[in-house]
Amino acid sequence: MKVYLDNNATTMVDPEVTQAMIPYFSEMYGNPNSLHKFGTASHPAITKAINQMYKAIGANDKDDIVFTSCATESNNWVLQSVWIDKILNGDKNHIVTTEIEHPSVLSTCKFLEEQGVKVTYLPVNDQGIVEAHTVKAFITEKTALVSIMWANNETGMIFPIQEIGEICRDKGVLFHTDGVQAVGKIPVNMQEVHVDFMSMSAHKFHGPKGIGALYIKNSQKLTPLLHGGDQMGGRRSGTLNVPYIVGMGQALELATTNIEEKMATIRAKRDRLEDALLGSLSDVFTVGDRNNRTPNTILISIRGVEGEGMLWDLNNSLIGASTGSACASEDLEANSVMLAIGADNELAHTGIRLSLSRFTTDEEIDYVIERFQSAVKRLRAISSSYAIVQPTAGGAAGECHIHH
Ligand code: 7TS
C-alpha cells in the first residue's frame, strides 16, 4: 500500500479538475486578451471560474479576486504594496505579524525590515495561536498592516480571524490573512469577517500547482507587483493562465460543496489515527486542541525519535509525511513552530506532520497506524538517548503536553 499524508504541502489534482482543464491546453489555447475567436473562446470558462471562486469564499460584487502565480506571490504582493502605499508614500512605519507565518510572509517581512520598516512578530501561546487581545496591544498609530494566517500549515491550528478583523477595523488598520491552509478545508465566508486581503493557493485544495489568488475587499487600491500588459484590470500583468484558472475555480467549488460533510469525514479518520497513536505509544504528544484545528492535520512528537528517522521509516513503508513545512525540510533544524509554542529543542526535533485529504481511506489509516507504531518501536530500540532519558516513561500520552 502507498499512503500520501502530506496534503498540507500539496494535494493530488482531483481527476475532475484535470478533465476541466484539458480543453484549455489543447483546443482553446488562444490568448484571452486577443480579439479573435481563438482568444474569446475561453471567456465563458474564465467567467465561470471567477464565479466559482466568489461563491466559494462568499465574496461580493464590490470585491476583487485576482489570480496570481502562487500564494507566495499573493503574500509578497500585499506586504510589498502596503509598504509602498502606506509607508513609503504615507505616514506609517509598522507591520504586525506572528512568529509562525509561512516563510513567504516572514522572509518578506525580513526584507522590509532591511528597508527600514518596523515589524512586530507576535509570539504564539501554548496552543500555537495568537489571541486577538495580543494583536490589539501591539497596534500603534503607525501600524499600516496586520498580517496573520487563518490556519497554520504545520499544526492546523485556526486563528481567531473574526476577532482580529474587528480589532483592525476599529483601529483603522489594514488586515491581511494568509488563507492558504483554511480555504477549501474549513468554511470561509468573507461576509462574516473583516479581512481586507486574503491569499489562496489552488494546489492545497486539489487544484494545480503554480496558481494562486488574492481576495481584495471592496477592490481597494493596491500598487501592482507585476507591471506589464494590464491584464486583470492592471492589477496583475501577465497572460492569463486559462487552464489553471479553470482548474482553480473547479477545485474550489468541489472542495467547498457540502464542506461540513467533507470535514466530518476527514475529521473522523484524523481523530481515529490520532487516538490510536496516542493510546498505544508512551511519550507521544500532539500539538493543539484538535477541535480548533483544520480537520485534516496532526503534528505529533515522539520522544526519543528524530523526525527524520521517522520519515525514513515511514517512507520505506511508502507513507509520505513530513517533519513540518516542506519549504524548510532540507535542513535538519528543529521545527520552528514547535519551538515557538514552547517545546524544548529535543522535542522540537521529533515533530511529524500527518495531513489527510478527502481521498484518504480507512484502509490507509489502518495501515499507517500499524506502520507508525512499529517504526516508533524500532527507532526507540536503537536510540541511545531514549533509553537514558525516558523523561515520563509510562506517563499518560495526550494533547498539549508541551511545556514552557
Ligand atoms: N502560505 C501557507 C500557509 C502555506 O502553507 C504555503 C505552502 C504557502 C503560503 C505557499 O503557497 P504556494 O502557493 O506559494 O506554494 N506550504 C507548504 C507546507 O506547509 N509544506 O510545503 C509547502
Side-chain angles (χ1 to χ4, degrees), residues 6-10 68-75 100-105 149-154 178-182 185 199-204 209-212 322 324-328 353:
D6 201 11
N7 288 282
N8 283 9
T10 196
T68 60
S69 64
C70 56
T72 297
E73 183 188 328
S74 304
N75 286 340
I100 63 163
E101 298 299 311
H102 185 265
S104 53
V105 168
M149 63 198 341
W150 200 312
N152 181 264
N153 43 315
E154 303 200 13
D178 176 344
V180 166
Q181 297 288 345
K185 290 203 178 91
S199 306
M200 297 171 260
S201 182
H203 73 97
K204 307 288 181 175
K209 293 165 199 45
I211 181 155
S322 84
S325 173
C327 327
R353 179 179 73 180

Side-chain angles (χ1 to χ4, degrees), residues 64-82:
D64 218 348
I65 295 178
V66 180
F67 292 104
T68 60
S69 64
C70 56
T72 297
E73 183 188 328
S74 304
N75 286 340
N76 269 267
W77 182 16
V78 173
L79 289 158
Q80 296 196 43
S81 297
V82 169

